[in-house]
């Protein structure tokens, strides 16, 4: 089923046209050191859970209590990431970190 692929491709096409119309210019910026491993972990989490992180909240609201396991995984994963960054990596978290 290619619906999700087509949805993402459509979104990319729309933003490309919008950027061209608005004449948005990219500024050369170094990629933050945590972007690649963060993207891999985030994508892996999506693949394992079968959906975006907002879905478990909807599932719990509709009475599907096993979604609490996914929510707990999100909370534990966030805390582990902050702990590992503080202890080992020392990556600049920018405006997202506290």
């Amino acid at each position: 089923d290619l619906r999700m692929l087509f949805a993402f491709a459509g979104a990319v096409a729309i933003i490309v046209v919008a950027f061209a119309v608005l004449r948005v210019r990219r500024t050369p910026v170094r990629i933050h050191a945590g972007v690649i491993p963060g993207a891999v972990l985030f994508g892996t989490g999506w693949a394992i859970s079968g959906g975006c992180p907002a879905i478990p909240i909807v599932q719990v609201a509709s009475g599907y209590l096993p979604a609490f396991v996914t929510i707990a995984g999100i909370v534990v994963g966030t805390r582990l990431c902050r702990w590992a960054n503080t202890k080992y990596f020392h990556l600049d978290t920018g405006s997202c970190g506290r």
Side-chain angles (χ1 to χ4, degrees), residues 26-44:
R26 285 189 61 203
T27 56
V29 177
R30 269 183 46 171
I31 294 177
H32 185 281
V35 170
I36 302 301
V40 169
L41 287 172
F42 189 74
T44 302

Side-chain angles (χ1 to χ4, degrees), residues 37-95:
V40 169
L41 287 172
F42 189 74
T44 302
W46 270 41
I48 291 170
S49 68
C52 83
I55 299 289
I57 296 168
V58 174
Q59 289 174 330
V60 167
S62 66
Y64 185 69
L65 298 181
F68 275 119
V69 174
T70 304
I71 293 171
I74 292 168
V75 171
V76 169
T78 301
R79 292 182 188 255
L80 280 174
C81 179
R82 287 184 182 157
W83 172 81
N85 186 40
T86 302
K87 186 159 177 91
Y88 300 110
F89 304 117
H90 309 291
L91 299 173
D92 176 23
T93 55
S95 62

